Amino acid sequence: NAGVTQTPKFQVLKTGQSMTLQCAQDMNHNSMYWYRQDPGMGLRLIYYSASEGTTDKGEVPNGYNVSRLNKREFSLRLESAAPSQTSVYFCASSDGSQTRGYTFGSGTRLTVV
Amino acid sequence: AQKITQTQPGMFVQEKEAVTLDCTYDTSDQSYGLFWYKQPSSGEMIFLIYQGSYDEQNATEGRYSLNFQKARKSANLVISASQLGDSAMYFCAMREGNRWDTGRRALTFGSGTRLQVQP
């Protein structure tokens, strides 16, 4: 099925560990985004990539790095996880010209203990 | 200042009744887009409806309609004939800038409204 695929769906990390969240889309979209969602809050933008080869910081980039590996894939890396990074992470993509919104992955629930 | 404000943390509605979820926004752009998403308890983000700032007609998608009042900077979601399956979190979001740009403009979300439909 066409869409945005995120892996893993669940992850528990110890403080200080590192990990990479993977995201891939098969809709040939130019733009991809990483958001985090904390309880009682909306989604906040961490990083985005307007096109292959470019990345930009969003509202809450501290503690994260990203890589736009190719047009399909956009990964989010936590170098040294902290309990404050416990959240649900969503990847999304868009082609910029459509009006029907952005396509979201199913999310990764990350717990840092 | 918050760009998207949803002032109703929670709402209750009786099955088969209509409900309005409020959303106000703040932008200095002339061209922008407003979106509503539904997030059920399973967690996925489901696109519901879109309204462009230059669209003259209010957007409608089945039982969903968007009451767009540009001068008041409000974009309220109206759900008609509520169903039990409508119980979920609802998020209003905005993309600033022209829809034909490179997609550089990410969505900004409000804090959401939890809707509970009662039988």
Side-chain angles (χ1 to χ4, degrees):
Chain A
N1 291 337
V4 178
T5 303
Q6 289 184 238
T7 56
K9 292 191 185 303
F10 301 93
Q11 184 72 48
V12 178
L13 288 179
K14 294 183 179 179
T15 297
Q17 286 185 319
S18 62
M19 80 161 295
T20 300
L21 281 64
Q22 307 286 354
C23 175
Q25 52 93 6
D26 57 6
M27 296 170 287
N28 203 35
H29 285 171
N30 286 319
S31 302
M32 298 185 73
Y33 311 86
W34 276 106
Y35 288 90
R36 61 177 288 174
Q37 183 181 22
D38 301 312
M41 300 182 71
L43 279 68
R44 292 185 293 167
L45 184 68
I46 306 171
Y47 270 94
Y48 65 97
S49 171
S51 60
E52 186 178 353
T54 69
T55 60
D56 287 286
K57 294 179 180 179
E59 181 186 356
V60 288
N62 291 343
Y64 305 95
N65 285 302
V66 290
S67 295
R68 184 75 182 267
L69 304 170
N70 48 55
K71 192 170 186 178
R72 289 187 64 248
E73 298 171 286
F74 187 38
S75 62
L76 178 72
R77 182 161 178 84
L78 287 70
E79 291 291 351
S80 178
S84 61
Q85 293 178 304
T86 294
S87 190
V88 179
Y89 292 84
F90 287 96
C91 178
S93 71
S94 77
D95 67 3
S97 64
Q98 63 180 356
T99 60
R100 293 196 66 78
Y102 297 58
T103 303
F104 284 82
S106 57
T108 295
R109 186 173 294 274
L110 175 66
T111 302
V112 182
V113 298
Chain B
Q2 287 192 356
K3 290 197 172 185
I4 297 287
T5 303
Q6 296 181 252
T7 57
Q8 306 154 312
M11 291 278 288
F12 289 92
V13 65
Q14 292 294 122
E15 196 176 6
K16 299 181 184 178
E17 292 186 349
V19 62
T20 298
L21 306 183
D22 294 341
C23 173
T24 58
Y25 60 92
D26 183 29
T27 181
S28 57
D29 283 4
Q30 296 301 308
S31 178
Y32 51 89
L34 296 157
F35 301 78
W36 277 91
Y37 283 85
K38 172 184 179 182
Q39 187 179 45
S41 57
S42 53
E44 71 265 34
M45 297 292 288
I46 301 169
F47 168 76
L48 294 178
I49 196 166
Y50 166 84
Q51 180 84 42
S53 58
Y54 291 123
D55 293 342
E56 295 184 354
Q57 303 265 357
N58 284 344
T60 60
E61 293 275 357
R63 293 187 298 112
Y64 304 108
S65 60
L66 201 152
N67 184 1
F68 181 47
Q69 299 187 44
K70 195 170 181 177
R72 294 186 176 185
K73 292 190 174 179
S74 75
N76 299 338
L77 177 71
V78 181
I79 305 175
S80 63
S82 297
Q83 301 173 354
L84 296 178
D86 293 335
S87 293
M89 281 290 288
Y90 289 81
F91 291 99
C92 179
M94 176 174 64
R95 181 201 60 231
E96 295 171 279
N98 193 294
R99 72 172 72 160
W100 302 110
D101 69 15
T102 62
R104 180 173 293 111
R105 310 289 186 136
L107 291 177
T108 301
F109 285 83
S111 56
T113 296
R114 181 171 298 281
L115 177 67
Q116 295 187 56
V117 181
Q118 297 175 318

